[in-house]
Amino acid sequence: MRALPMAETPSIQRWLTLIGIGEGGPAGLGDEAKRLIASAPVVFGGARHIELMQPLITGEAHIWLSPFEKSVEAVLARRGMPTVVLASGDPFFYGVGATLSRHIPASEMSVIPAPSSFSLAASRLGWPLQDVTVLSLHGRPIDLIRPHLHPGRRILALTSDGKGPVDLAALLLAMGFGQSTLTVLEALGGPHEKVSQQKAADFAPVDINDLNICGIEVKADANARILPVSAGLADELFEHDGQITKREIRAMTLSALTPRRGELLWDIGAGSGSIGIEWMLADPSLRAIAIEASGERVARIRRNAEAFGVPGLTIIEGEAPGALAGLPTPDAIFIGGGGSDAGVLDAAISQLRRGGRLVANAVTTEMEAVLLAEHARRRGSLTRIDIARAAPVGGMTGWRPAMPVTQWCWIKP
């Protein structure tokens, strides 16, 4: 799709108007919004939007096409000519405004927002919105809610359809949060508005409107799967075959990788996927690619990613360095397995962006020799990590040392 330049163009005025609407139809709009819709030669929107505003529309009505990119191109083709786009609630809160703003500068747009479904839901429940976790699951995997399930937390989750609340209740029950209160708020702001409340464990749906948002008051059972917000999650939370960066080493590795908002990590020799998963859990903007040669482990990484609520983890099945070809340029790279294989470290370094960080861990003497040589050649820092755990020794207790880890950290100049 052709993207418009974001620089302001003095000769082009504010030709595009984004108008947020609610389920109340024209009655819920102000006079200016009504006038703009009525006078627009072309109005874009979803089928429901066009139907709700039909009494006001006098120009051409264009329902969004599939794929949506076709409609964006149609809007762009009208640059400089008066055009109205209808959106649900606030166009810039999980709305069409976010998409259009990637192609059209703000200087060419006027926006009249309406309350978002999250604002309406919070007002019905009496929840201070600043204290609530808001999450859109509309057209997105339901697993995204998993990291947010903490006792006492309040969550507002926008679903895709009438089956969404059913799926949420089932997930809550499966994760040990069956006693959580689930409030389903349907068609907010319209004549068919409905609010109902049940325990997730006892959820019994009947004809739920496709336009719904769920309020969840999280309550954990004794066996609930709660994902802590700290680095170094317990090893037993991951499905693995022993090929996993242990929690203490993982915490130190993530600290060395220093994730920053919006960055991309390559996890080479991903094993169970624990490093890439925890990288993504640190912030929703973070992305990761797990590269793993074993098909069995690839399937395991995928299951772990879903179980930890980061289904967006990209998984590449293949051996480095060949599997690295054509991947997006990383901001950080972790090498946990296969780093001593010919060409792996050189390929990783060559594709790392300038200023990017590389962290490599060695448990074998062969890999340690590689890291010692790289340190001598490129500098960076070397750290020796020794962990010992208390364990039974006969009828008493003693320290059992884990295999020591040599960690090389380097920033590409």
Side-chain angles (χ1 to χ4, degrees), residues 1-300:
M1 184 192 304
R2 179 180 62 89
L4 290 176
M6 295 304 292
E8 184 172 343
T9 306
S11 61
I12 297 182
Q13 303 301 316
R14 297 181 185 272
W15 57 275
L16 179 64
T17 303
L18 276 61
I19 299 177
I21 66 174
E23 289 300 296
L29 296 179
D31 291 341
E32 178 65 5
K34 292 177 183 177
R35 183 189 68 78
L36 288 166
I37 294 172
S39 62
V42 174
V43 177
F44 289 88
R48 181 174 57 86
H49 301 143
I50 298 297
E51 181 181 357
L52 284 169
M53 294 297 116
Q54 194 61 57
L56 295 177
I57 297 173
T58 60
E60 298 177 14
H62 294 265
I63 295 174
W64 295 130
L65 301 172
S66 181
F68 183 66
E69 287 74 13
K70 291 182 179 179
S71 287
V72 175
E73 291 174 353
V75 173
L76 297 180
R78 289 191 52 78
R79 189 181 189 200
M81 296 179 283
T83 305
V84 164
V85 167
L86 303 176
S88 297
D90 185 345
F92 281 91
F93 198 48
Y94 294 108
V96 69
T99 300
L100 292 176
S101 65
R102 291 196 288 269
H103 308 279
I104 303 169
S107 60
E108 297 181 22
M109 289 190 287
S110 296
V111 184
I112 303 177
S116 69
S117 57
F118 294 105
S119 294
L120 292 173
S123 68
R124 301 297 190 272
L125 294 168
W127 291 359
L129 197 53
Q130 70 271 15
D131 298 329
V132 176
T133 297
V134 296
L135 188 65
S136 176
L137 302 177
H138 190 276
R140 306 169 75 198
I142 193 174
D143 292 312
L144 291 170
I145 200 172
R146 293 175 183 263
H148 304 285
L149 297 175
H150 284 234
R153 198 166 195 175
R154 287 174 168 175
I155 301 172
L156 287 174
L158 180 68
T159 77
S160 293
D161 51 37
K163 188 173 177 291
V166 182
D167 294 338
L168 273 176
L171 184 145
L172 290 167
L173 182 59
M175 289 189 65
F177 296 93
Q179 293 308 303
S180 299
T181 301
L182 184 61
T183 303
V184 182
L185 304 103
E186 307 173 44
L188 290 173
H192 304 295
E193 178 175 319
K194 178 183 176 183
V195 179
S196 58
Q197 190 174 85
Q198 301 180 60
K199 294 291 185 185
D202 305 320
F203 195 79
V206 285
D207 298 326
I208 298 175
N209 193 300
D210 283 344
L211 300 173
N212 70 79
I213 187 168
C214 293
I216 304 168
E217 295 180 274
V218 182
K219 185 174 181 180
D221 300 335
N223 65 336
R225 179 182 168 88
I226 301 170
L227 301 178
V229 295
S230 62
L233 300 178
D235 296 341
E236 55 266 25
L237 288 173
F238 293 88
E239 182 185 345
H240 65 91
D241 59 359
Q243 190 73 12
I244 183 174
T245 303
K246 299 298 192 292
R247 67 181 302 177
E248 299 90 351
I249 308 299
R250 193 181 329 122
M252 296 183 71
T253 299
L254 287 159
S255 175
L257 286 166
T258 61
R260 301 167 186 172
R261 183 171 177 80
E263 290 189 326
L264 171 67
L265 169 76
W266 284 4
D267 181 1
I268 300 174
S272 65
S274 63
I275 292 291
I277 287 170
E278 288 214 38
W279 168 279
M280 292 182 68
L281 285 173
D283 189 88
S285 70
L286 293 169
R287 299 163 295 136
I289 300 175
I291 299 99
E292 174 56 53
S294 165
E296 183 178 347
R297 287 174 179 163
V298 162
R300 190 176 291 119

Side-chain angles (χ1 to χ4, degrees), residues 317-398:
E317 182 175 351
E319 291 189 14
L324 307 180
L327 298 182
T329 301
D331 301 286
I333 296 176
F334 171 64
I335 301 178
S340 59
D341 294 346
V344 171
L345 201 52
D346 286 341
I349 288 173
S350 70
Q351 297 194 55
L352 182 65
R353 71 163 177 84
R354 292 184 64 181
R357 291 91 62 203
L358 185 144
V359 176
N361 290 353
V363 293
T364 65
T365 56
E366 291 81 2
M367 181 60 174
E368 184 177 59
V370 171
L371 297 188
L372 291 172
E374 289 297 331
H375 178 258
R377 177 185 173 193
R378 304 178 191 271
R379 306 315 297 166
S381 65
L382 276 176
T383 304
R384 180 81 161 182
I385 308 171
D386 290 286
I387 302 291
R389 297 181 179 85
V393 179
M396 305 182 76
T397 302

